[in-house]
Amino acid sequence: MRAEAIARLNTLGVRTPARIVDAALTAHPSTSGGAGSGRCLRFADPDPWPEAVDGAALLDDLAHIYRRFVSLPDGGAEALALWIVFTYALEAFDVAPILALCSPLKRCGKTTTEDLTAALAKRPLAAANISVAALYRTVERFSPTLIVDEADTFLLSNLALRGLINSGHTRATAFVIRTAGHEPRLFSTWGARMIALIGRLPATLEDRAIVLPMRRRAPGEPVDRIRRARLLRHLDPLRRRVVRWVTDHLAALRAADPAVPEALDDRQADNWRPLFAIADAAGGAWAARARTAARTLSGVVVEADTAPPVQLLADLRDLFATTSAATLATATILRHVAALTDRPWADGAPGHPMTPRHLAKLLEGFGIKAKQIRQGTATRKGYRRADFTDAFRRYLPPDPKHPNTALPLRH
């Protein structure tokens, strides 16, 4: 390259071509850049813990950190603890499950969970937006743990970016082909990914994900406030313990063939198998805890709704407060809401009264489903008061008119 450049400059009559070429080839690129040119990405891998690490105790401590700061669904802390270890053991596996934080509304703990993950995972890269080219070039060079926030604002409509993230699920297909000059090159898309959004992932991403249905903290439910300025330093010992444990068990993780519960379908089994391998190698009660978490979380999704479902919850709380009945028939609820013509969720069926299907869709994100209920001698579809208790507590403020409707019921 040097000789060809000097010869070319000579033919152009450039003076001292060797000095010019040597200066160009030995110059170091700026790491800071000029104003407005952005900053270089830097990742600092933690040093391994100096002593052997007990895997079960390590996972206990990771799960405790998440429970301390976030109100999580059943199985959520276990899934997060195992997935953190997975980010360091990525090279041992052939499938990389997405960890999806899905919520029906804002303020359900997604940001706090992302902050904790950014302080614990290997090479975390948080992005509220990222282009296709930036993603595959960053993954190729650094193999980061990608943490995508507010995915509902840009990812759902970007088919190219969704396809790129999809491709990173299986090692054998985790690459894209792009040209550099006129030469085709392979760029890796293989890596750990966390995606947070309000609503529901597209089907192709959801199929490749372990979904955590995030929820709002209920009144009186204790969690500590996170101090972000101290977080990385406070959690560094945990990261170092993870590095040491993975280093000592990497060969065993590569060779693992963990048992999978029959309740999981093929894709769910693929997603959970790396986490099962980690749980089995950690020992203690974690083999059982991981499989319980998988059965609890698999197939649980949160439907994409914002204010309308909350308004519906408030109106149904008022309706339940007018009766001592433990159940309400779907038809009774539909008659009640039909009279509330000023409600925003009524726009879901313009010119038509709400249907049982529309009602079910609005409540599905809160885990509330219609059941067969008995009223007198008849059996019909309806809803149980007790199934609303948790949603009332988490998503509605206390109602001074009906204070008891937000309290757990005793049977």
Side-chain angles (χ1 to χ4, degrees), residues 197-319:
L197 76 162
I198 293 174
R200 184 171 176 173
L201 282 172
T204 54
L205 284 175
E206 185 176 285
D207 202 35
R208 292 164 170 82
I210 294 169
V211 178
L212 268 61
M214 302 298 289
R215 61 191 191 180
R216 189 169 292 175
R217 179 170 63 92
E221 187 174 3
V223 295
D224 289 349
R225 288 192 176 274
I226 195 170
R227 298 189 177 184
R228 290 171 174 82
R230 306 178 185 178
L231 200 58
L232 192 60
R233 184 175 69 253
H234 176 67
L235 297 180
D236 187 62
L238 260 179
R239 298 177 70 215
R240 295 180 62 197
R241 288 167 61 195
V242 175
V243 173
R244 175 58 187 265
W245 187 87
V246 169
T247 301
D248 291 346
H249 293 82
L250 196 60
L253 295 177
R254 282 197 182 102
D257 185 16
V260 176
E262 292 183 1
L264 305 187
D265 63 33
D266 290 344
R267 185 52 67 87
Q268 291 167 349
D270 289 343
N271 291 335
W272 278 94
R273 192 171 280 111
L275 306 193
F276 291 157
I278 292 167
D280 292 349
W286 272 91
R289 289 175 67 178
R291 287 160 177 83
T292 299
R295 284 189 289 265
T296 301
L297 294 172
S298 290
V300 178
V301 295
V302 178
E303 194 57 64
D305 287 304
T306 54
V310 176
Q311 182 64 69
L312 180 61
L313 281 180
D315 291 330
L316 293 184
R317 180 171 68 175
D318 289 343
L319 178 58

Side-chain angles (χ1 to χ4, degrees), residues 51-299:
E51 303 169 353
V53 172
D54 180 278
L58 172 64
L59 290 171
D60 286 342
D61 290 344
L62 288 168
H64 171 72
I65 285 293
Y66 280 102
R67 284 199 191 93
R68 177 182 169 188
F69 294 103
V70 190
S71 174
L72 290 165
D74 291 343
E78 285 77 8
L80 285 161
L82 291 163
W83 193 83
I84 288 295
V85 177
F86 163 78
T87 68
Y88 292 85
L90 180 68
E91 64 183 273
F93 303 111
D94 294 321
V95 172
I98 298 168
L99 193 65
L101 310 177
C102 301
S103 71
L105 300 163
K106 298 177 181 178
R107 296 190 293 111
C108 287
K110 297 189 302 297
T111 299
T112 301
T113 304
E114 291 173 279
D115 288 341
L116 292 171
T117 301
L120 289 168
K122 182 178 181 179
R123 299 185 182 180
L125 178 62
N129 204 324
I130 191 168
S131 69
V132 170
L135 178 58
Y136 67 72
R137 291 183 182 277
T138 301
V139 173
E140 171 69 28
R141 182 169 179 182
F142 297 109
S143 296
T145 297
L146 185 67
I147 303 173
V148 180
D149 191 18
E150 299 184 357
D152 48 298
T153 64
F154 71 97
L155 179 60
L156 304 190
S157 60
N158 191 329
L159 297 181
L161 187 58
R162 279 165 48 183
L164 197 72
I165 293 177
N166 281 342
S167 71
H169 182 252
T170 305
R171 185 193 293 271
T173 61
F175 60 86
V176 294
I177 302 174
R178 296 293 185 270
T179 55
H182 295 289
E183 182 183 357
R185 304 291 295 265
L186 291 177
F187 290 86
S188 174
T189 59
W190 171 249
R193 297 141 298 158
M194 172 180 278
I195 299 176
L197 76 162
I198 293 174
R200 184 171 176 173
L201 282 172
T204 54
L205 284 175
E206 185 176 285
D207 202 35
R208 292 164 170 82
I210 294 169
V211 178
L212 268 61
M214 302 298 289
R215 61 191 191 180
R216 189 169 292 175
R217 179 170 63 92
E221 187 174 3
V223 295
D224 289 349
R225 288 192 176 274
I226 195 170
R227 298 189 177 184
R228 290 171 174 82
R230 306 178 185 178
L231 200 58
L232 192 60
R233 184 175 69 253
H234 176 67
L235 297 180
D236 187 62
L238 260 179
R239 298 177 70 215
R240 295 180 62 197
R241 288 167 61 195
V242 175
V243 173
R244 175 58 187 265
W245 187 87
V246 169
T247 301
D248 291 346
H249 293 82
L250 196 60
L253 295 177
R254 282 197 182 102
D257 185 16
V260 176
E262 292 183 1
L264 305 187
D265 63 33
D266 290 344
R267 185 52 67 87
Q268 291 167 349
D270 289 343
N271 291 335
W272 278 94
R273 192 171 280 111
L275 306 193
F276 291 157
I278 292 167
D280 292 349
W286 272 91
R289 289 175 67 178
R291 287 160 177 83
T292 299
R295 284 189 289 265
T296 301
L297 294 172
S298 290

